[in-house]
Amino acid sequence: MMQVRLALAVSFADPDRADDELALAHQLLGGLDQRSSTLLAKVVALIKDAGTSGVTNGAQGVNAEIEAAGLPSLHRFVELVLAFHHAVRGEDQGLAATIDRLRALTATGDFAYFTDIAHYMAGLPLPEPSTTRWTKSEADVRSAWHGLVRVRQEHLLAGN
């Protein structure tokens, strides 16, 4: 389970390393019935491919699997992927719809910071002050998430 989470953390910044971490996660999950971790590994695969074609359709497939598995809390991870994907591609309409869905999925307060992150990735202002207490300043967090989008755009422009 921790290997999947490591792959998740790495996938935003380093899709090549994410491939290696994800391969190890699949190896460790082989033969186990860890639906949550297996589905999260599929989310990681979407993150590492963010900005390329097929991510939106892939997200729909993963959402269907999440629903079938009865693990609705994982939908917010898929929406975070889509926010990253749309930010990388500059798809404002898709991003706005994704943020709306993400806001609904985090309305209880669990993972509410995902909505902040979606705004930060796209360089958008928050509609209201955040309730999240970051370990760094909000400006630093905003810059870091938006920086990941720029790095992915550069990665894709370089043909990777």
Side-chain angles (χ1 to χ4, degrees):
M1 290 173 14
M2 294 312 297
Q3 182 61 35
V4 172
R5 278 151 180 80
L6 172 61
L8 177 68
V10 168
S11 62
F12 285 100
D14 190 345
D16 295 329
R17 180 175 170 203
D19 270 337
D20 295 338
E21 300 298 346
L22 195 54
L24 180 55
H26 284 299
Q27 182 181 11
L28 295 170
L29 288 170
L32 299 177
D33 186 14
Q34 289 285 327
R35 278 184 250 175
S36 177
S37 293
T38 300
L39 289 167
L40 200 53
K42 291 182 179 196
V43 169
V44 170
L46 291 172
I47 295 168
K48 72 176 198 59
D49 291 339
T52 65
S53 62
V55 170
T56 303
N57 287 338
Q60 290 173 345
V62 172
N63 270 330
E65 289 184 61
I66 288 168
E67 199 62 36
L71 297 165
S73 63
L74 294 178
H75 287 301
R76 57 188 165 220
F77 287 92
V78 176
E79 295 303 329
L80 187 64
V81 170
L82 288 171
F84 184 54
H85 174 70
H86 291 310
V88 168
R89 293 173 69 104
E91 298 172 342
D92 296 339
Q93 190 173 9
L95 182 63
T98 299
I99 288 173
D100 287 344
R101 289 189 304 272
L102 195 52
R103 186 175 292 114
L105 289 168
T106 61
T108 63
D110 291 341
F111 290 81
Y113 60 93
F114 275 20
T115 305
D116 293 356
I117 290 170
H119 283 87
Y120 298 163
M121 285 191 277
L124 297 173
L126 295 176
E128 55 193 41
S130 177
T131 59
T132 303
R133 298 178 107 175
W134 301 102
T135 58
K136 293 185 175 188
S137 74
E138 185 176 325
D140 286 343
V141 175
R142 174 182 289 280
S143 177
W145 281 104
H146 192 63
L148 290 173
V149 169
R150 288 191 310 270
V151 167
R152 181 61 60 94
Q153 289 168 332
E154 292 167 10
H155 177 79
L156 293 170
L157 283 173
N160 295 314

